Amino acid sequence: MADRKPIESWLTDMDGVLIHEGVPIPGADAFIEKLRESGRPFLVLTNNSIYTPRDLHARLRRLGLEVPIENIWTSALATAKFLDDQRPGGSAYVIGEAGLTTALHDIGYILTDHDPDYVVLGETRTYSFEAMTKAVRLINAGARFICTNPDETGPSTEGPLPATGAVAALITKATGRQPYFAGKPNPLMMRTGLNTIGAHSESSAMIGDRMDTDVLAGIEAGMKTFLVLTGLTRPEQVENFPYRPSKVVDSIADIVDLV
């Protein structure tokens, strides 16, 4: 196999790589600082669609991680970019928070429950039976079903929470319609992210803590992949997957010198 090009740009997941349950992971600050000093293009990615990049910038800054707003890429932004490409100026019924509704407003979408082009499901801490019922009826009436990400659970200090993928399964069961997931592991999220920073997959690397989303998305987008062991995937689980990361490291601290 031919040698890959040197890494010129970096994409990294946020939860499990840079922070864990609201606490910075040792080495994360040095990694971000090194990236900024180097001038290399980079993005911090998250499948969580609750927060806007501005929200996440403020959250990370409070933790001592200075990530510019333009260097944050969320599944909500990837979803909005996809919808803007597919059906510019369309309409959507949205189940989600400000991260998703703001992204759709910014591309000129109308948010409505009257004959929308799409039902868009994202992350929220307050999934309501009423909203899910409305989504089912709109999909049955012809609305196309889009989800920001397929994650079935999300982290919290109290333990796992049901996430977008779990609620999507409920709606699919009620409608017989499978959604299109815009977030990881869909390489669409990686490619649209790379395009925003003018980077190319053959000279880019993806850092993540999950084999089934981060590493898979990186591989399918043609990137070099690093798995860190500070998140969900444990060392003994790596061999269970039919694909492998380019390299497994203990934490983000082991990647600082590679920037």
Side-chain angles (χ1 to χ4, degrees):
M1 184 175 177
D3 290 338
R4 291 186 61 91
K5 293 183 179 180
I7 300 171
E8 298 292 341
S9 51
W10 293 84
L11 275 63
T12 177
D13 188 36
M14 186 172 69
D15 291 304
V17 179
L18 301 179
I19 61 175
H20 181 68
E21 294 183 354
V23 178
I25 291 172
D29 54 348
F31 177 72
I32 296 297
E33 185 177 352
K34 188 83 174 288
L35 281 174
R36 298 189 69 198
E37 288 176 351
S38 73
R40 296 187 187 282
F42 76 96
L43 282 178
V44 172
L45 306 175
T46 179
N47 255 1
N48 190 319
S49 63
I50 290 178
Y51 305 105
T52 67
R54 189 179 299 275
D55 296 332
L56 292 172
H57 164 76
R59 177 187 176 197
L60 291 168
R61 172 179 271 181
R62 287 195 301 271
L63 298 176
L65 303 177
E66 191 60 47
V67 181
I69 294 172
E70 60 269 22
N71 293 101
I72 296 173
W73 189 246
T74 71
S75 64
L77 294 176
T79 300
K81 179 67 171 66
F82 172 74
L83 293 181
D84 194 32
D85 289 341
Q86 290 284 306
R87 191 176 289 264
S91 60
Y93 174 67
V94 178
I95 300 176
E97 303 285 347
L100 182 55
T101 57
T102 300
L104 293 174
H105 273 303
D106 286 348
I107 62 166
Y109 255 55
I110 296 169
L111 306 189
T112 179
D113 61 359
H114 178 68
D115 193 26
D117 297 316
Y118 298 96
V119 166
V120 183
L121 174 66
E123 212 74 63
T124 174
R125 294 288 188 256
T126 55
Y127 289 113
S128 77
F129 185 77
E130 180 183 1
M132 288 186 281
T133 300
K134 184 167 290 186
V136 166
R137 291 172 179 169
L138 290 171
I139 291 168
N140 282 336
R144 301 148 189 88
F145 188 18
I146 302 287
C147 289
T148 56
N149 63 292
D151 301 56
E152 295 164 353
T153 61
S156 79
T157 54
E158 294 82 21
L161 297 170
T164 307
V167 178
L170 182 154
I171 294 174
T172 291
K173 196 72 173 177
T175 62
R177 299 275 292 279
Q178 294 284 345
Y180 181 78
F181 294 104
K184 298 176 293 178
N186 189 343
L188 172 82
M189 181 169 175
M190 320 299 280
R191 292 186 183 124
T192 52
L194 288 170
N195 288 341
T196 66
I197 58 174
H200 301 283
S201 59
E202 63 268 22
S203 58
S204 300
M206 173 64 193
I207 309 167
D209 70 305
R210 292 185 61 153
M211 287 288 291
D212 58 345
T213 55
D214 305 319
V215 172
L216 179 58
I219 289 172
E220 292 190 345
M223 304 166 65
K224 187 169 184 176
T225 54
F226 291 84
L227 176 73
V228 297
L229 301 175
T230 47
L232 288 178
T233 301
R234 308 313 315 147
E236 63 274 11
Q237 295 174 319
V238 175
E239 293 298 332
N240 296 336
F241 293 86
Y243 48 86
R244 290 185 56 82
S246 306
K247 191 170 184 179
V248 179
V249 297
D250 288 333
S251 76
I252 191 72
D254 298 308
I255 302 177
V256 175
D257 289 340
L258 299 180
V259 176

